[in-house]
Amino acid sequence: NAGVTQTPKFRVLKTGQSMTLLCAQDMNHEYMYWYRQDPGMGLRLIHYSVGEGTTAKGEVPDGYNVSRLKKQNFLLGLESAAPSQTSVYFCASSPYGQPTDTQYFGPGTRLTVL
Amino acid sequence: GQNIDQPTEMTATEGAIVQINCTYQTSGFNGLFWYQQHAGEAPTFLSYNVLDGLEEKGRFSSFLSRSKGYSYLLLKELQMKDSASYLCAAMDSNYQLIWGAGTKLIIKP
């Protein structure tokens, strides 16, 4: 099992460009999450999904869109990148989002917006 | 508001014991998590507490006091590989994790 994978691992964008980050999990988990991690701050939830075809907003959703067309994939889109979106993005998954369910994280995507 | 506080950085000596504290304020409470994150890597799960008391797992133990909104992670017999950031997170009433900024633990020989 590969667990949770993310592509790409690194990306540099210019302001205004768009891109999509892909997260894939092979553990048949229902719940998937997108977080961003910035220096000196905790992980912040961007969007999450409780199952195929569903998405919901997290703490910092502005400027991002998501889609969960297949259970194993969760895509994060930036339509018009801004320097404030420079961050490390982590995808995570958990079986059913319950307190006793561990969240498993992908290796992260390091995004720089110039 | 919701808030997690933990020290920014701690230093300890190889073979010693270190305690990393965490205080939390959340809307509802469904448990306290500790994750380990090595530099440049993903967070990995260490422990989960929902009842008051101490949970021991090998060299690592985690304590929770719900009435005080307080938890600590205790690491014994420190090894160089324990150098990492330790993230405290509380699960709120919506089953979402509220994360602290992490405590960077530096282990010296």
Side-chain angles (χ1 to χ4, degrees):
Chain A
N1 285 352
V4 181
T5 58
Q6 293 182 232
T7 52
K9 288 186 168 54
F10 302 92
R11 185 72 186 268
V12 178
L13 290 178
K14 294 181 179 178
T15 298
Q17 288 184 318
S18 63
M19 77 164 294
T20 300
L21 282 67
L22 171 64
C23 175
Q25 53 95 5
D26 62 1
M27 296 175 283
N28 202 35
H29 287 172
E30 292 294 332
Y31 278 59
M32 296 187 75
Y33 312 83
W34 275 108
Y35 292 96
R36 60 178 290 174
Q37 186 175 41
D38 300 294
M41 302 183 71
L43 288 159
R44 290 183 292 169
L45 184 64
I46 304 171
H47 286 279
Y48 65 101
S49 168
V50 303
E52 181 179 312
T54 74
T55 63
K57 293 180 180 180
E59 179 187 355
V60 288
D62 294 343
Y64 306 95
N65 56 77
V66 287
S67 63
R68 183 110 180 259
L69 299 179
K70 292 183 178 181
K71 186 176 183 178
Q72 63 267 35
N73 295 337
F74 195 29
L75 279 63
L76 178 71
L78 285 74
E79 290 185 347
S80 179
S84 61
Q85 294 178 305
T86 293
S87 188
V88 179
Y89 292 85
F90 286 102
C91 175
S93 72
S94 73
Y96 296 103
Q98 295 302 299
T100 51
D101 289 341
T102 299
Q103 287 192 18
Y104 295 87
F105 284 79
T109 294
R110 283 145 186 82
L111 175 66
T112 301
V113 182
L114 302 175
Chain B
Q2 307 200 100
N3 192 50
I4 308 287
D5 283 318
Q6 55 181 128
T8 303
E9 186 174 296
M10 299 181 70
T11 301
T13 304
E14 190 177 15
I17 299 172
V18 71
Q19 177 175 312
I20 303 173
N21 296 325
C22 170
T23 58
Y24 65 89
Q25 283 183 299
T26 53
S27 301
F29 180 74
N30 279 298
L32 194 291
F33 296 76
W34 286 95
Y35 279 73
Q36 180 189 57
Q37 185 178 27
H38 285 100
E41 297 183 8
T44 55
F45 172 79
L46 286 177
S47 68
Y48 167 68
N49 294 65
V50 66
L51 301 176
D52 285 356
L54 188 68
E55 294 274 349
E56 297 186 72
K57 195 184 294 185
R59 293 189 299 114
F60 292 8
S61 303
S62 55
F63 172 84
L64 176 67
S65 169
R66 294 178 65 140
S67 62
K68 295 182 179 178
Y70 167 71
S71 173
Y72 68 72
L73 181 69
L74 190 72
L75 291 75
K76 302 176 185 177
E77 301 170 14
L78 286 170
Q79 302 175 9
M80 297 304 293
K81 67 178 182 179
D82 297 330
S83 293
S85 288
Y86 292 85
L87 314 182
C88 174
M91 182 170 275
D92 68 11
S93 57
N94 294 320
Y95 297 102
Q96 291 186 8
L97 288 176
I98 309 302
W99 296 82
T103 298
K104 183 178 180 181
L105 179 62
I106 299 168
I107 310 295
K108 295 185 174 180

